Amino acid sequence: MDHVLDARGLPPPEPMERTLDALAALPPDDRLVLRLPRQPFPLFDLLRRMGYLWEVSGTEGDYRILIRLADTPPAGA
Amino acid sequence: MVNTAGLRLDQAPPIHLPLRLLLTAPWFAVAAAVLLMVSGDQILVSRWTPAALAVTHLITVGFLGQAICGALLQMLPVIAGAPVPGVHWVGAVVHVALTAGAPLLAAGFLGGGPWLLGLGAGCATLGFAVFLAAAATALTRAQGAPATVGALRMAAFSLAPTVLIGAGLASVLVGWTALPGFPAWVDLHLAWGLFGWVGLLILGVAYQVVPMFHVTPGYPAALTRWLAPALLVALVIASLGTLSGLEPVVWLAEGAIALGFGAFALVTLDLHRRRSRARRDANLLHWWSALGAAIAAACAWGVGAPDALIGVLLLVGVGIGLPSGMLFKIVPFLCWFHLQQRQVSAGRFEVRVPHMHGFLPERPSRWQWGLQLAALTTLSGACFDPRLATAGGALLALATLLLAGLLLTAAWRYRQTSRALERSSPLDSHLGSQPGST
């Protein structure tokens, strides 16, 4: 199941705070879709160290970052 | 200073380096406020009185110097993507030198004798020179947003004449040398320090933090491209005019500087009006009162108001007010960021790291802003009625004491969580209980 977190319009570091809160509550097989106006490079570093994988789509102003645990099957699998 | 492509958080220095400067800074504003409370009626009569010079240097060297250097040690690597060389010993030297320099300078001005004044000036010169050498090296390698990096470079450039002229003036005061046209050099020291070093720095930082933290549209491209260079040129022209005694040239250049900073303040207020988030936290309130003080100072210059009023508006309104608001963002952010990084590195997710706003209580932060605004208003009034000076100084003392206390509260909360992270169980015992530990 995908959970959407729209963090557009939030000042830093609220998008990162809310993302980390959402990930802590995310069931192991579910995925988080994060919507942001910019690519969150500092978050990517944390995700990598926490054992998550992510895919980025969209363009400047409206990026979608699909986040899942490294052992969660990708979409459609 | 976070969450944007090009920002390099991994290059930030250890938290104790910026924090020791940022936590020391408010105590010099407290000292300045106490001096205003005790002898404000003399200070606000003329900027040449010993007490006025002491208060000015407690604010500029002690408070602003520490707050700016502390913030830039953190922000230069993050915004400009270039680490400050030798950041550990640079931070230590700057902290010790400015912490010693500000009170020694103040004591020297207050009748402590030429040796105290000379020693204070020497310490302040050393602190700023070490910082400038390190910051200039970082800024030559900088690759961040061009408008911000450009304004920061011009601000750093302006610090050089400020410090050199200041050191020269001190050497005259202690009797080591003579300098023809002493008052003109004092004007230059003040102009390069306030409008070059501090003013251009505010521009460069605002270009990044206002759109990001206040969620506003970006500054107009023409403003970010031309305003800082135009102000720097005006500053050079004003300086040459001052040294040549060309009053009309000085007046025109000063008018351009007043107009430039006034326009910047108005544009920033307009961006705030169009912000997409209605929340008014203490940081935003401090920005508004500081921008209002900058506009009032420009108007006061235009109508030929007393120097003391312009000094109060710039030093107390902008010089203490704006950094106070910024400290309400910077210190909690540093605490949150470093704890977050440590938590992920250790994989100890059972410890709750507070959100950034959890490090500082919001309501007392707003009270702090209210006290600061009341102090600014009362001290401005005291320029016309000296009987208000004691009350204005007392209000400023309360505001700055509360600022210092709130920042210490944030540091205490950092330490509590930091200890909890150290105490918590090893990673292995929590495997499988948290997403990040898998």
Side-chain angles (χ1 to χ4, degrees), chain A residues 2-48:
Chain A
D2 287 353
H3 303 259
V4 178
L5 173 61
D6 190 348
R8 291 172 298 174
L10 294 178
E14 282 188 42
M16 193 187 282
E17 289 174 338
R18 293 193 187 193
T19 303
L20 295 175
D21 286 349
L23 288 174
L26 193 70
D29 292 333
D30 289 5
R31 305 181 307 175
L32 181 68
V33 180
L34 175 63
R35 295 186 70 180
L36 282 172
R38 306 180 191 93
Q39 290 209 52
F41 292 105
L43 176 66
F44 294 156
D45 178 51
L46 285 185
L47 291 178
R48 180 182 53 74

Side-chain angles (χ1 to χ4, degrees), chain B residues 212-278:
Chain B
M212 201 177 289
F213 279 126
H214 302 149
V215 199
T216 72
Y219 279 88
L223 184 140
T224 57
R225 183 168 186 184
W226 295 111
L227 183 58
L231 285 167
L232 186 65
V233 168
L235 206 45
V236 171
I237 293 171
S239 303
L240 295 174
T242 301
L243 292 176
S244 316
L246 297 170
E247 284 300 320
V249 174
V250 175
W251 187 84
L252 280 173
E254 287 180 352
I257 291 169
L259 210 60
F261 281 112
F264 164 77
L266 286 171
V267 168
T268 307
L269 286 172
D270 182 55
L271 292 178
H272 282 151
R273 187 181 58 80
R274 293 188 281 150
R275 74 193 189 283
S276 58
R277 214 180 190 209

Side-chain angles (χ1 to χ4, degrees), chain A residues 9-18 20-21 23-24 36 38-42 45-46 49-52 69, chain B residues 2-5 9 212-213 215 276-277 279 333 336 340-341 344-345 349 352 355-357 434-438:
Chain A
L10 294 178
E14 282 188 42
M16 193 187 282
E17 289 174 338
R18 293 193 187 193
L20 295 175
D21 286 349
L23 288 174
L36 282 172
R38 306 180 191 93
Q39 290 209 52
F41 292 105
D45 178 51
L46 285 185
R49 288 157 59 193
M50 292 168 71
Y52 286 95
L69 273 173
Chain B
V2 288
N3 200 27
T4 297
L9 290 172
M212 201 177 289
F213 279 126
V215 199
S276 58
R277 214 180 190 209
R279 188 163 174 241
F333 173 75
W336 171 83
Q340 195 69 65
Q341 295 290 318
V344 172
S345 295
F349 297 96
R352 170 126 179 95
H355 281 186
M356 187 176 120
H357 62 76
Q434 294 290 334
S437 61
T438 55

